[in-house]
């Protein structure tokens, strides 16, 4: 049992804290980026989901990162989840994080330093004693600005056990209230997690007065398994992301951890505060914002997660769903009632459907969404939940984009050179572009580059239907690369060319956000 925690008070023995790092570690995924409005919307969705801690960003990384953390902290100035800012052990990092989280009702500084021999020698070029001194100095400084301080041993799973114990003891004595031991490179096995957390709880003085946290990467596909092993060994906080996004192969998936604990309570007697029916809604919001769909066979939120094609399986499910389903689709937000609206549906019915799908729109956004719905209903015989989600996400989520598509005309056909003419609104100014190309899509993309000159490498162009039928909306995904930076964009429309243009513009806006990001200055060892 942990001692009284500054942010959570006395925590029940069976309660696991969900520390969501979608907005920080998750956003570091290649190709992922979010603007300020998207981060705020994602933060609100995560709070509604029931995440206990939101790691909102790395304030020292750039002015944009600082603004994101500060804005989210301001959004939760009266109540809500703990808002956390990441920092290295440098004084400047910690002071910047402290300033960013200051408006939050409950704020946390999360400071870290590498502790493995490899990282200390190659990356930090610091000795064991220098790292120990940095641990004490950083945690002490952080505690001067907030009572809730988390300390992490980067590459902790590959750290010498004796030295890891010394570092954890030093962090606890300096005032850390949460101790995180990350499997930074996804190297560990479940038995490693059991050994590490059991050792720390048994050997480190003061271990019974802090919360131990686990943060696992999925390089070997073991992030969730390692997380569950750490919980069984005494970890009380889980660091995870929606859809498992994150550096390289990603992090432990929040939805998988939450549902594993809920489904296998007989084996792991722990619970979270996650409102599980909100899981699918949150997953889809993230996919829309980032432009990255989850794979069909993804546990919990993939479109095949509750699909049954085998005749034997179908027969069993029809007789009793528990024969092949260990959880109900409804428990994570899936619904079997998909057919919803038509061209005669009114604004009230549309608003009710949006609410059922998890969208809360203001009057202006509702008007824009309803206008596009009526246009879609005129072109489709039946409008499904998936159609509504696609059009609302495409139209409303991106209202704050700097570049917007306002008009598009394409001529194409057999023995005809395709030509596209379009209008873009760029920072409030309307600009036209015209170009030809090798096909309608190529001409459209050339026209965008004509209106807004830029050079990028197109790494991916993919089309899929949102629903079935020849009148289905197409969802297009594009991926750009510019100077090693990757971004993905998505667009939806019943016209594949229009959907392609929307996807391109979406990716372009993400690229503009990413261009503003700079790496923080290299951390140096302070003079003795």
């Amino acid at each position: 049992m942990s001692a009284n925690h500054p942010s959570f008070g006395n925590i029940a023995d069976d309660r696991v804290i969900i520390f969501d790092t979608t907005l920080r570690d998750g956003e570091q995924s290649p190709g992922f980026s979010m603007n300020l409005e998207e981060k705020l919307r994602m933060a609100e969705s995560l709070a509604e989901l029931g995440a206990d801690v939101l790691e909102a960003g790395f304030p020292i990384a750039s002015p944009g990162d600082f603004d994101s953390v500060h804005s989210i902290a301001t959004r939760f100035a009266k109540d809500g989840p703990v808002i956390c800012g990441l920092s290295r052990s440098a004084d400047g990092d910690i002071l910047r994080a402290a300033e960013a989280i200051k408006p939050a009702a409950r704020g946390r500084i999360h400071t870290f330093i590498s502790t493995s021999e490899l990282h200390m020698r190659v990356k930090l070029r610091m000795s064991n004693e220098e790292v120990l001194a940095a641990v004490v100095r950083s945690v002490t400084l952080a505690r001067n600005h907030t009572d809730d301080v988390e300390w992490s041993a980067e590459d902790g799973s590959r750290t010498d056990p004796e030295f890891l114990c010394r570092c954890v003891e030093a962090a606890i004595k300096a005032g850390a209230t949460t101790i995180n031991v990350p499997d930074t490179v996804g190297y560990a096995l479940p038995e490693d997690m059991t050994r590490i957390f059991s050792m720390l709880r048994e050997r480190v003085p003061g271990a019974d007065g802090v919360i131990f946290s686990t943060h696992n990467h999925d390089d070997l596909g073991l992030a969730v398994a390692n997380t569950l092993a750490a919980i069984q060994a005494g970890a009380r906080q889980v660091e995870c992301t929606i859809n498992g996004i994150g550096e390289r192969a990603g992090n432990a998936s929040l939805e998988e951890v939450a549902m594993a604990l809920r489904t296998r309570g007989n084996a792991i007697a722990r619970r979270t505060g996650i409102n599980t029916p909100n899981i699918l809604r949150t997953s889809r919001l993230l996919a829309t914002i980032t432009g990255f769909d989850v794979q069909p066979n993804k546990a919990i939120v993939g479109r095949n997660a509750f699909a049954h094609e085998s005749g034997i399986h179908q027969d069993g499910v029809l007789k009793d769903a528990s024969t092949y389903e260990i959880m109900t689709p409804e428990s994570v937000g899936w619904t079997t009632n998909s057919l919803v609206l038509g061209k005669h549906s009114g604004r009230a019915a549309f608003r009710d459907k949006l609410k059922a799908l998890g969208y809360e729109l203001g009057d202006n956004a509702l008007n824009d969404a309803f206008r596009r719905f009526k246009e879609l209903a005129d072109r489709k015989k039946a409008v499904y939940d998936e159609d509504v989600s696609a059009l609302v996400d495409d139209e409303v989520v991106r209202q704050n984009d700097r570049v917007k598509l306002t008009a598009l005309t394409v001529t194409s056909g057999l023995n005809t050179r395709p030509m596209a003419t379009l209008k873009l609104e760029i920072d409030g100014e309307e600009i036209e572009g015209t170009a030809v190309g090798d096909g309608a899509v190529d001409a459209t993309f050339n026209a965008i580059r004509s209106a807004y000159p830029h050079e990028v490498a197109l790494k991916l162009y993919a089309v899929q239907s949102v629903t079935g039928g020849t009148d289905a909306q197409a969802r297009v995904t594009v991926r750009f690369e510019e100077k090693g930076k990757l971004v993905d964009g998505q667009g939806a429309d019943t016209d594949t060319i229009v959907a392609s243009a929307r996807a391109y513009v979406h990716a372009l806006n993400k690229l503009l956000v990413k261009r503003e990001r700079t790496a923080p200055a290299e951390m140096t060892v302070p003079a003795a």
Side-chain angles (χ1 to χ4, degrees), residues 477-509:
T477 302
V478 300
R479 179 174 298 159
F480 293 163
E481 181 180 13
E482 181 188 65
K483 297 179 180 178
K485 295 180 178 179
L486 295 170
V487 292
D488 275 30
Q490 285 191 335
D493 197 89
T494 54
D495 186 317
T496 303
I497 307 306
V498 174
S500 300
R502 291 181 184 276
Y504 191 107
V505 170
H506 183 215
L508 183 58
N509 278 287

Side-chain angles (χ1 to χ4, degrees), residues 432-464:
E432 294 188 5
T434 300
V436 296
D438 184 15
V441 173
D442 188 50
T444 300
F445 288 0
N446 288 339
I448 294 173
R449 287 190 284 266
S450 171
Y452 187 84
H454 59 281
E455 292 293 333
V456 295
L458 182 63
K459 293 295 186 180
L460 173 70
Y461 173 80
V463 183
Q464 67 180 104

